[in-house]
Amino acid sequence: QVQLVESGGGLVQAGGSLRLSCAASGRTFSSGNMGWFRQAPGKEREFVAAIRWSTGTTYYANSIKGRFAISRDNAKNTGYLHMNSLKPEDTAVYYCAVDLDWILARNKDEYDYWGQGTQVTVSS
């Protein structure tokens, strides 16, 4: 089992920045990936970004490319989502997830473990 705990969400004005953290514990996933997803009210959970844990290779959704960056600290077993130039449409609950498979995936069904989510609200 992998336990994931997100933190760092909050209320920010449009144009501002936030950094989300995802602390992982339990079994290792060194050959897998960590992803970030978000879900706005009344909408499907959508892919934001993913990172291959071993190599740091990244993969982004087009909607956030150039504004968000995913990273990880192997020593702390923690992943991060750096969000800049935030827009009101970025308002959502943000989830981190772990996929034990090697292949970077944007499909939420590929992910094996999920955190509880952290709310991000961007005011206009």
Side-chain angles (χ1 to χ4, degrees):
Q1 294 284 329
V2 178
Q3 291 78 41
L4 302 170
V5 179
E6 300 100 333
S7 60
L11 174 63
V12 63
Q13 288 190 329
S17 300
L18 280 175
R19 187 185 76 166
L20 305 183
S21 300
C22 178
S25 61
R27 67 169 287 179
T28 61
F29 53 96
S30 55
S31 61
N33 310 295
M34 178 176 282
W36 286 94
F37 292 76
R38 65 186 183 185
Q39 188 166 18
K43 294 190 175 181
E44 295 268 329
R45 190 170 299 188
E46 65 171 357
F47 171 77
V48 175
I51 187 166
R52 182 169 288 149
W53 204 253
S54 58
T55 64
T57 303
T58 57
Y59 180 34
Y60 293 99
N62 288 335
S63 60
I64 56 83
K65 200 174 290 185
R67 298 190 298 123
F68 292 10
I70 188 171
S71 66
R72 91 278 190 239
D73 184 328
N74 295 73
K76 295 182 179 179
N77 223 27
T78 299
Y80 303 97
L81 185 67
H82 309 263
M83 305 186 295
N84 300 308
S85 303
L86 282 161
K87 305 174 182 180
E89 50 264 43
D90 294 317
T91 295
V93 178
Y94 283 71
Y95 299 89
C96 68
V98 161
D99 174 9
L100 299 177
D101 191 50
W102 172 255
I103 299 172
L104 281 170
R106 62 184 301 130
N107 185 341
K108 62 183 184 298
D109 295 332
E110 299 291 331
Y111 286 77
D112 303 289
Y113 301 98
W114 291 84
Q116 81 289 351
T118 186
Q119 177 70 47
V120 171
T121 303
V122 184
S123 63
S124 56

